[in-house]
Amino acid sequence: MERAASVISSLLGGGGGSGAQAATVKSVLVYPIKSCRGISVPQAPITATGFRWDRQWMLVNSKGRACTQRVEPKLALVEVQMPPEAFAEDWHPTPDDHMVIRAPGMEPLKVPLSVECATISDVSVWEWTGAAYDEGAEAAEWFSTFLGCPTRLVRFNEDSETRLTDPDYARGYKTMFSDGFPYLIVSQVPTINQDTGIPSPTEPTETLQTYRSGEVLLRSHKNKRQVYFGQNAVCKESLSANGEGRIVKVGDPV
């Protein structure tokens, strides 16, 4: 984990490498709603809990338990759109700014980014249970209709809740609705087109926007049907005041 953290630190310009550029950031993916499609962005500000907007929202079932692609694979079809300026360093949403959600057969759903919501308790994901903002009846009806079961959209309540990472691996760090750690690093070995033998110009980035599947990323591996997660990581920069305002950009040296 320390090695993974140092990779992120190097990516942000704080590393202690030899000076030789071994690789560059190929893509930055942010997943505003846990288990829905990700957004490929040219840059993303870092925060104490991961990239800004990443896994701030989550779907829960009637018992308040996290609903993910593990049990609802249709979530891979849900597209999320944020205002382009949402990933600028000093941008703050207004009441007119929305997250727009789309899915096959459904009208677009607009979720305000700056409107205060009521809170609900007993929301849980893995080991954590706490309170979260409830995005309301319209969002609940939209997702319940699409998935065919009672579902609500909730947002992490940073004002009252803290979810710590596993202290055995990264003591003192925190995250929101990600599985366990605020960052994920995946090395991009070109995926070879099985018909032409030519490296794909879009993979594995295209697959990672939807789901992390070894079906595309590890096609020759005996466990190719497993979900591919890469290296979970934390970012040392996010613990200090010096980390504020730092941005990861596509093309940054690693």
Side-chain angles (χ1 to χ4, degrees):
M1 185 54 62
E2 283 300 315
R3 185 177 68 174
S6 69
V7 170
I8 285 285
S9 183
S10 297
L11 183 149
L12 294 171
S18 63
Q21 180 175 318
T24 59
V25 177
K26 176 66 175 179
S27 58
V28 177
L29 300 176
V30 177
Y31 301 80
I33 304 177
K34 182 178 180 67
S35 268
C36 294
R37 289 180 67 96
I39 304 171
S40 181
V41 296
Q43 65 178 40
I46 66 168
T47 73
T49 55
F51 288 130
R52 190 178 189 192
W53 308 113
D54 190 58
R55 265 72 64 91
Q56 282 199 22
W57 288 268
M58 178 176 72
L59 296 165
V60 297
N61 60 22
S62 58
K63 297 181 179 179
R65 186 68 181 168
C67 179
T68 72
Q69 286 185 33
R70 295 177 178 90
V71 294
E72 293 291 351
K74 284 182 67 175
L75 289 176
L77 301 175
V78 178
E79 298 182 356
V80 181
Q81 179 182 346
M82 300 289 286
E85 59 272 21
F87 297 95
E89 182 176 337
D90 298 319
W91 185 79
H92 298 284
T94 71
D96 295 327
D97 292 309
H98 298 79
M99 173 174 65
V100 181
I101 305 169
R102 296 180 173 86
M106 303 292 293
E107 292 294 322
L109 171 68
K110 291 186 176 181
V111 177
L113 293 178
S114 65
V115 176
E116 291 188 7
C117 303
T119 59
I120 57 176
S121 57
D122 296 327
V123 168
S124 62
V125 54
W126 294 107
E127 82 301 334
W128 179 86
T129 299
Y133 292 119
D134 182 1
E135 292 292 2
E138 182 182 2
E141 181 180 359
W142 194 95
F143 277 103
S144 297
T145 299
F146 180 66
L147 295 177
C149 59
T151 309
R152 301 197 74 85
L153 178 66
V154 299
R155 184 176 184 177
F156 196 87
N157 186 348
E158 293 185 84
D159 294 331
S160 67
E161 304 295 327
T162 299
R163 183 178 174 221
L164 299 176
T165 57
D166 190 332
D168 289 339
Y169 294 93
R171 183 178 298 275
Y173 294 87
K174 58 184 180 179
T175 188
M176 285 195 270
F177 288 140
S178 62
D179 274 358
F181 295 89
Y183 295 94
L184 177 75
I185 301 173
V186 179
S187 60
Q188 184 170 24
V189 178
T191 302
I192 305 300
N193 184 296
Q194 301 299 302
D195 298 322
T196 65
I198 300 174
S200 168
T202 60
E203 292 293 356
T205 300
E206 190 170 282
T207 292
L208 288 169
Q209 284 185 257
T210 309
Y211 58 95
R212 295 181 286 269
S213 169
E215 190 74 24
V216 171
L217 302 180
L218 300 171
R219 295 182 67 171
S220 62
H221 196 276
K222 64 179 180 180
N223 294 324
K224 67 179 182 179
R225 293 187 181 275
Q226 291 186 352
V227 176
Y228 183 63
F229 287 100
Q231 175 63 63
N232 291 311
V234 294
C235 179
K236 291 181 178 179
E237 294 280 352
S238 65
L239 290 183
S240 67
N242 292 332
E244 295 181 2
R246 302 301 294 270
I247 290 181
V248 175
K249 298 180 179 180
V250 172
D252 279 350
V254 177

